[in-house]
Amino acid sequence: MKTLLITGGAGFIGSHVVRRFVNKYPEYKIVNLDVLTYAGNLENLRDIDSRSNYEFVKADINDSAVITNLFEKYQFDGVLHLAAESHVDRSIADPMAFIMTNIVGTVNLLNAARKIWKAGSEGHRFYHISTDEVYGSLGESGLFLETTSYDPHSPYSASKASSDHLVRAYHDTYKLPIVITNCSNNYGPNQFPEKLIPLAIHNISQNKPIPIYGKGENIRDWLYVEDHAAAIDLVFHLGKDGETYNIGGHNEWTNISLIKQLCLTMDKKLGREPGTSEKLITYVKDRAGHDLRYAIDSSKIQQELGWAPSLQFEEGIEKTVDWYLANTEWLENVASGAYEKYYEKQYVSR
Ligand code: NAD
Ligand code: DAU
């Protein structure tokens, strides 16, 4: 039986990856390591948490001694590293946690893997899950390729770029078996309502203003989270050692057109007159250093590993809205307490 470590498995993407691996690979033991920050939520995994091939460990990747001990105890065969501070606006307000978790935490994992895998890399793999934001911002045309130079602009993307470089350095210097993917914006169930789509769903359902930064003309390339989890599964098993694969939805939307589409879907689901929710759109101060456009060329993973997004955006957004409307308790639980303070600081009192 192989033992795999998935870090950040209580978060948004991590919980979908954990569920997929626990269900699909009963022959693997899946250890989900998460410190449970505001973004980590074990409710995301209630349906699989009593499975015999699943174990949760509450631990901080910034604690090198704890991480080293866990690697020695479990002798992980593979690592899928998703734990991170992930929200750009929080990184602008307070970068330090991003430097610690995203850079130092990643190095702690690399060191621990290097220590237990020193006997040889056969059958081992350190998979670092990263973002398209490391490539910076595109103009009106062009796509990010795996060979595009790094040009990060926010403390978040700079910390992810730094961790990507360190992962590659451990491959080149110590022959650590690694693979990296850089993915575009994910959406779907269980995303914390600090991110654009769940924040808008939450506000529309409460008849609150939907904050749009600047003119709403920034463009993102949206991918349904389960399609990302499927790509991660393929790359973990079939990706080539030392390689990078870009993952994206071929699904570019300006923020304003995406929100208008979401408003129509919400009107339909909530039985409101078409056009009602759109009236909640409110333009607010732009994000500092706001990247204009992200868009991924995913031909490498499509051609080499046969991956492609399975859902059209209209279908994905309906599924997402349906999930949030069926899970109002989940949403209200995560949107209370500390979230209210964050919301007040980010949107009301600045
Ligand atoms: P998330 O914020 O929803 O979840 C992050 C998880 O990591 C949480 O469960 C949190 O508790 C955990 N964590 C944070 N700090 C930790 C620490 N010090 N020790 C242990 N656990 C810790 O993030 P997400 O959106 O699911 O993103 C997961 C990964 O995918 C990140 O590395 C992110 O950079 C990357 N990514 C995200 C997107 C996206 O659109 N969300 C797109 C591409 C790549
Ligand atoms: O591209 C991948 C990245 O996508 C991931 O690496 C990040 O972890 C993830 O958070 C996401 O980053 P973005 O900054 O693109 O996502 P966010 O949902 O914060 O914002 C999407 C767009 O919407 C962006 O142009 C900013 C804008 N926005 C966001 C919020 C929260 C608004 O206009 N209003 C808002 O209130």
Side-chain angles (χ1 to χ4, degrees), residues 86-89 130-133 156 160 183-186 191 194-197 199 211-214 216 218-220 222 255 284 287 290-291 294 342 347:
S86 69
H87 191 41
V88 173
D89 293 327
S130 191
T131 169
D132 61 358
E133 298 200 12
Y156 163 69
K160 291 295 291 188
C183 188
S184 64
N185 288 62
N186 285 215
Q191 188 169 31
E194 64 191 350
K195 308 281 164 62
L196 180 65
I197 290 179
L199 184 143
I212 300 293
Y213 296 160
N218 303 68
I219 294 172
R220 297 292 183 264
W222 294 93
N255 293 336
V284 300
R287 174 183 278 174
H290 198 170
D291 287 334
Y294 305 144
Y342 163 79
Y347 295 100

Side-chain angles (χ1 to χ4, degrees), residues 9 23 77 128 148 151 154 167 172 182 186 188 205 222 267 287:
N23 284 334
D77 298 290
H128 179 60
T148 302
D151 184 22
S154 71
V167 172
D172 297 348
N182 295 84
N186 285 215
S205 55
W222 294 93
D267 285 342
R287 174 183 278 174

